[in-house]
Structure formats: structure tokens, C-alpha cells
Amino acid sequence: MNAVLVSKAERIKNTLRETKERRKTQRVFVYELKLQNLSKRKIALLERAFLEAKWLYNWLLSDIERLNMPVHKVKAVEVKVGDHYEQRELTVLGSQIKQEIANRIKDNLRALGRLKRNGRKVGAIKYKSFVNSIPLRQYGKTYKLDFERNRVRIQILGTFRVLGLHQIPEDAEIANAVLVRKPSGYYLHVTCYRSKDRCVSADKIGDAVGVDFGVRSKLTLSNGIKIDFELRETLRLKRLQRKLSRKRAGSKNRERVRFLLNKEYEKLNRRRRDAQNKVLAFLKHYGTVVFQDDCVKGWSSRFGGAVHSSGIGGLKSRLRHSLETPISVERMETTTRECFACGLRHDLSLSDRVIVCECGWECDRDVNAALVIMRKGLGLSPHQAVGVGRPELTPLERETAARILGSNPCIRVSFLDEGGSLLSRDRRRPQHNANFVASLNIAGRAVQAGLVGTGLPSTSLRLRAVNPISANCRL
Ligand SMILES: [Zn+2]
């Protein structure tokens, strides 16, 4: 008996080691599948599962010693109702799911412990009033995908029809998954691994690019592309927030409005995520991306909600993690106030949009900052950078920008040529500069056709208006 146990533990250990080795040559992808055609019975089953996950989580948390017992064998838990406890049975959670919920708490405790050792102030883990995700650990055991019939089988919960299986490539190695509850429905987030040499990286359209994160133009690249995405809270969201505040606490009406509000938030988050995806996809076409690791939190106190709702902080952290060669420049380095050509510091106020230097350098403020960021990231001194000069925006770069970024209606792209000197004639409202070709209100593809090869000295493109209201304000 003992010998068998040891060998099993050994076997698991070996497999884990092998997997760890294999993961080094792989890249991770997460695919989202939506559970479809849910009958009332299935929905009740799923709701019950999330409820039981919450019960188990809180029960384990109420006495940490419980984490040491075999959690997968727990059949019933006590739930506090009012001021006494009631026994609740766990009927739809599989053994591995239970174990994984316990592991989650252990992971959280470990992470908190690490923070504490590093001198951070940490609080206790709190009880949850809802659990919206259930871990499914082992592919083949806890859950299994049926690619032919578009189904997923989950331990005890049964079979569900899923949408989106076609996204998963055939050679992908399927690992764990998470069952997620969102206001818009139930999803399965499947983690897959693919070998790195199988993944095609984007065609390179440039070697290095510096990115300046700003408030007015959200992103400015060192080659003069300005990417601005505006994802403001929708009118419906504001209306729902108002409505919610008027509902009586604990009433069914309030519950209903809260659900609608959450749904609206989810929608906004998806839009934000898509905008981020597009920007990342574009930046992936460069060999090296340099950006400054400054803190976005400080901005929101100065500039308010516009920063918060743009999702720029999220973009930055994703930039750090998903690009192959991101270089970040120290937070303390001055970039906006320095001349790219000679390195001289200038005193610029926020309203100065153009930097003019005695050395003859004249450039849009944000483009200059992006250039300085790029120079510092690549470790060049101003004198070395003079030879590099200001990179020209190639037609290929324009085309790629129009193709990728133009497909999102919330992203506005403008191109800036000739060191941005054209801007100096109208510092306040650069979009209205007479030297810019009139803003074109056309979708990405048309722009691409009309623009490439024309070689116009300067062009400002508004690839579809952000929303009708802001468009009218500008016109
Ligand atoms: Zn200078």
C-alpha cells in the first residue's frame, strides 16, 4: 500500500517536472468560450455551483485549520444564517473543484505572507458575498471538450453546448480552465499552451519605437503616430447609476437595476479591452517598444476620470507582459522637458504643446517625449541620436496603423509629419490646423486605399468618430 502511494507521488512529481520543462518552450493563450442554449434547469445547476463554491470558500476561511483536512471529501458545510448556523450540503461540486477552491485560499495566503515579509501592510482575507469563478483544474478529468459536437463536459455539472471552440488551434495543449459567471452569461476560460516556434510573430514594420503616454493624446509614438482612444462612461451607465441610488436597499428592483448596471460595465470593459488589444497588436509590429514606467495613478487626481476610464493603466501593464521586447525607462527620468536633439532641459508648462530649442529642434511636445524615451531606452546619448535623426513614417506603418487601429470605432489615429513643426502655427487646437488635410470620416480600409502612396506632407485622419456627440463638437 505504502509503496504504491510513494510511486504515485513520484509519478506526479515527475510529470510536474516534465510539464515545467515543456512550458519553457511554450506560450500561453486563454480562450473564452460561451455556454449556450442553457435550459432553466442548467442555469439553476450553474447558479447552485457558484453558490456552493461561495459556501465552501467562506467555510474554509472561517477556520484556516480546515485547509489541512482532505477538502475534496467535504460533503456539507455550515453556513451562517442570521445569528445561527445551518448545515448545507455540497451536491454539485466535484472533488477536484473543492480541492482547487482550497488551493486558491492557500495561494492567497501565501501571496499575502510574501507581501508582509516585504514590509507591506496586509489585512486578512475577507469573506465573499459571491463567487463568480470556479476553477476546473485538470483537462480530461474535471472538464473535457468535445470539438466535434461543440460541447464541454464538467465534473458532476454535466454537458453544455459552447460557442467559440474553433478558436483553439489543433496543436494546442489544453490545460486548466475557469468557469466564469458574468452579467452577460456563463463562460469557460480555457488555458492553452502552444510551442513558441509554432506561433507566428507579426511582420516587422520598424525596429524600435518610443511610446509616450499622455493625457491629451493618449499615446504618442516616436514616429509621429498619435493614438487616442476615448471610452467614456455611456449615458445609459450614468442613468442606471442614478436609478440605482433611488432604489430602496434590499429591494428586488434595486437588485434588477444593479444587474443591468453590471452588464453595462461589462460592455464598457470589453470595449476598453478591444481598444487595448488593437494598440498592442499594432505595437507588436515593432522590434523593440520603449515606454516610460510612470504612474498613472498620480494623473487621475490631476485630470480626473478621463484617465481612469481610458484604461491606460491596463494597457501599460499588458504592454509589459505581452510584448516580446519591452523596455521601460525609469520613472524618474525626465522625458517631456528634454530636447531630443541636444538634451537641453526646457521649462514647459502643460499648455505648451511644442518644444522649440536653441539648437534648431522644433517638435511636437509629445513626439519629442516619445523620441527621448526611445533614445534613453536604447541607451543612446543625444549626440549619438542626432545621427539617427527623426524616423520617417513609412507608408507601411501608415497602412498597418490604419488597418489595425482603424477597425475599432473608439480609436482615433492621427499622423504627424515633419517633426510636428506644422503644429506650431496653431498650438491650441492642432486638429484644426489648416495644413492638415481635412479630417476624413471614413473607415480604415478606405483610408488605407486613399492614403498609401499619396505622400502627402501631413495628414490628420479621424478614422470614424468616437461617438456622435464628440464628433459634432469638433466639426
Ligand atoms: Zn536642443
Side-chain angles (χ1 to χ4, degrees), residues 11 22 49 52 114 151 178 184 188 193 209 233 255 265 286 300 358 374 389 395 401 409 412 417 431 439 456 461:
R11 253 194 348 262
R22 201 167 59 242
E52 286 185 6
R114 220 174 300 134
R151 297 286 193 281
V178 188
S184 60
L188 196 68
Y193 292 89
V209 71
E233 297 189 340
E255 205 60 10
Y265 270 122
Y286 288 92
S300 34
E358 290 97 69
M374 182 174 78
R412 197 169 58 236
D417 278 341
Q431 308 97 312
S439 298
L456 292 168
L461 290 177

Side-chain angles (χ1 to χ4, degrees), residues 107-136:
D107 286 344
N108 288 346
L109 285 173
R110 236 173 268 137
L112 278 182
R114 220 174 300 134
L115 281 179
K116 202 170 183 178
R117 271 197 301 284
N118 291 341
R120 293 275 290 277
K121 209 173 138 188
V122 292
I125 303 181
K126 290 199 182 83
Y127 294 113
K128 284 184 187 287
S129 48
F130 47 82
V131 166
N132 280 334
S133 73
I134 294 176
L136 307 171

